[in-house]
Amino acid sequence: MDWNANRDHLLANVGKLQQLSPDTVKGYLTSSGAGRKTAHLDEKMRQLIALAVAVTTRCDGCISIHGNEAVKAGATREQVAEALGVAVAMNAGAALVYSTRALEAFDDATGT
């Protein structure tokens, strides 16, 4: 995938959506920028978290945007890899937790 082209295409389409539904995009931008106002985390940390969440939600557009923003914020490849390791662990952890729920549902269905 050409991530730079993906990002450019996405931003152009967000611009088109903004013309049709400005409050939708404004709401997203307000939510997205809220952390910058409190500044409890620096920009690099916010982008590393966003990139890890983008992986867990399987959002290619988010990956292209937040990967680029992580670079701008000074993230290293090693820091990105560590953040992605957290995403992997969270997905595995969620699968583990939901596996117990699936077994409970199965047990309820069988009356055991």
Side-chain angles (χ1 to χ4, degrees), residues 82-95:
E82 188 168 330
L84 297 176
V86 173
V88 169
M90 289 303 299
N91 279 318

Side-chain angles (χ1 to χ4, degrees), residues 16-73:
K16 291 175 185 177
L17 177 60
Q18 186 174 19
Q19 291 174 352
L20 295 169
S21 185
D23 286 344
T24 298
V25 176
K26 181 181 176 183
Y28 165 77
L29 292 173
T30 298
S31 176
S32 179
R36 287 182 190 91
K37 290 184 177 182
T38 58
H40 298 298
L41 299 174
D42 65 19
E43 185 63 15
K44 180 169 66 173
M45 182 63 68
R46 279 193 298 277
Q47 293 305 324
L48 290 170
I49 292 168
L51 192 54
V53 172
V55 168
T56 65
T57 58
R58 297 173 181 91
C59 177
D60 283 343
C62 300
I63 289 169
S64 68
I65 296 291
H66 295 291
N68 188 58
E69 292 300 313
V71 168
K72 289 180 186 177

